[in-house]
Amino acid sequence: MAEQQVQWSAADVIGKGANRICVRDVQDPAICLKIDLPKHQRSVKNFRQRIRRELSDRLSLFNENYIEWQAYQSLVQRLGHDILDPYMARCISLDASAQGLILRCELVQSADGQVAKSLFHYMQHPDEMNPDALCAALDQFQAWLIKYNIPLFDLNSGNLVVQRQGQQLQLKCIDVKSVLRSKEIIPVSYWFKKLMHNKIKRRIARLKVLIQRHIQKKAP
């Protein structure tokens, strides 16, 4: 039996990265699907990435959806959903399709039902959000990562979305691959808690600096 191919329209697209596109599941509006881009649409910055792109189509071990699924499962086994759910979007299933492995995830929405926008969006539109509230949400997220020793190092503004709960803001991570896949040649930050915590603090501090820079650029 042939594997089903997922169809979507431009209106269903939530975001697009270097290697994957994220679309709303037409069968369940509370779910998003992370789907591999066709090979010719993937970006390649260096030789190492080129090799990984080639291998990802042949070996699931190098596929980003597979890596993220494994990373999330490792966190669930260690911490459980009750601890993870407030700050990480659930990975629900990893399914085979004609487009390759598809990762089904929670579509993060605010209390009003709107899809949560990324921290990057608010950096580009600082008039839409109180920067102090964003920095406070970053502090809260950092404290959570450190409390539970979660080695989430790919803390870029596109991987964090801002969930509005009334007057409260909460950051939620929508890409947890870095919990499992290290960019370090020797992953010492995964082995020693102090190094892990310091690296997390540096990443969060860098995001705060970026927020302030974008505010200054928009200032009259």
Side-chain angles (χ1 to χ4, degrees):
M1 182 176 178
E3 292 176 335
Q4 186 176 3
Q5 183 163 354
V6 177
Q7 302 290 337
W8 70 86
S9 67
D12 299 318
V13 176
I14 299 166
K16 185 178 179 181
N19 304 295
R20 299 183 291 178
I21 189 169
C22 183
V23 301
R24 176 169 269 183
D25 187 347
V26 295
Q27 298 179 347
D28 188 341
I31 299 296
C32 64
L33 308 174
K34 294 184 179 181
I35 304 171
D36 291 330
L37 288 169
K39 188 180 295 185
H40 68 278
Q41 293 184 23
R42 302 175 201 172
S43 65
V44 177
K45 295 181 181 179
N46 51 50
F47 180 73
R48 180 185 177 188
Q49 284 189 357
R50 185 179 298 279
I51 294 298
R52 293 190 71 93
R53 302 295 184 269
E54 292 295 327
L55 290 173
S56 68
D57 290 332
R58 298 178 174 88
L59 299 170
S60 59
L61 183 65
F62 293 93
N63 180 272
E64 290 198 352
N65 282 334
Y66 178 83
I67 293 168
E68 186 170 3
W69 173 252
Q70 293 298 322
Y72 183 76
Q73 291 305 307
S74 70
L75 290 172
V76 171
Q77 291 171 14
R78 180 163 70 90
L79 299 171
H81 288 295
D82 288 345
I83 289 174
L84 295 176
D85 282 353
Y87 294 96
M88 284 187 173
R90 277 202 188 196
C91 293
I92 298 166
S93 68
L94 183 67
D95 306 318
S97 78
Q99 291 116 308
L101 294 174
I102 292 181
L103 188 62
R104 297 179 70 249
C105 300
E106 167 197 358
L107 177 59
V108 182
Q109 301 175 73
S110 293
D112 60 1
Q114 296 295 311
V115 176
K117 295 178 181 178
S118 68
L119 185 58
F120 177 80
H121 170 87
Y122 291 113
M123 286 182 178
Q124 301 301 311
H125 304 86
D127 54 314
E128 294 183 15
M129 184 67 69
N130 183 324
D132 292 333
L134 283 178
C135 289
L138 280 167
D139 287 336
Q140 186 180 30
F141 188 70
Q142 172 183 291
W144 177 76
L145 291 174
I146 289 174
K147 179 179 180 180
Y148 293 105
N149 299 308
I150 299 174
L152 183 71
F153 299 137
D154 192 9
L155 291 171
N156 68 66
S157 58
N159 286 345
L160 298 174
V161 297
V162 182
Q163 195 172 33
R164 297 172 182 255
Q165 304 291 350
Q167 297 301 313
Q168 299 297 315
L169 300 182
Q170 183 140 318
L171 292 179
K172 206 161 187 176
C173 180
I174 57 171
D175 188 338
V176 298
K177 292 193 306 295
S178 63
V179 168
L180 193 63
R181 187 174 75 182
S182 173
K183 293 183 179 179
E184 299 174 348
I185 296 175
I186 302 175
V188 292
S189 298
Y190 290 77
W191 300 341
F192 302 101
K193 290 180 181 179
K194 184 174 178 59
L195 294 178
M196 179 195 302
H197 296 172
N198 287 341
K199 191 168 184 176
I200 290 169
K201 290 176 182 177
R202 290 196 301 272
R203 296 290 190 269
I204 295 294
R206 184 171 62 186
L207 287 172
K208 289 182 179 180
V209 169
L210 288 173
I211 289 172
Q212 294 302 322
R213 284 180 182 172
H214 282 284
I215 291 171
Q216 292 168 4
K217 285 182 181 179
K218 293 291 184 178

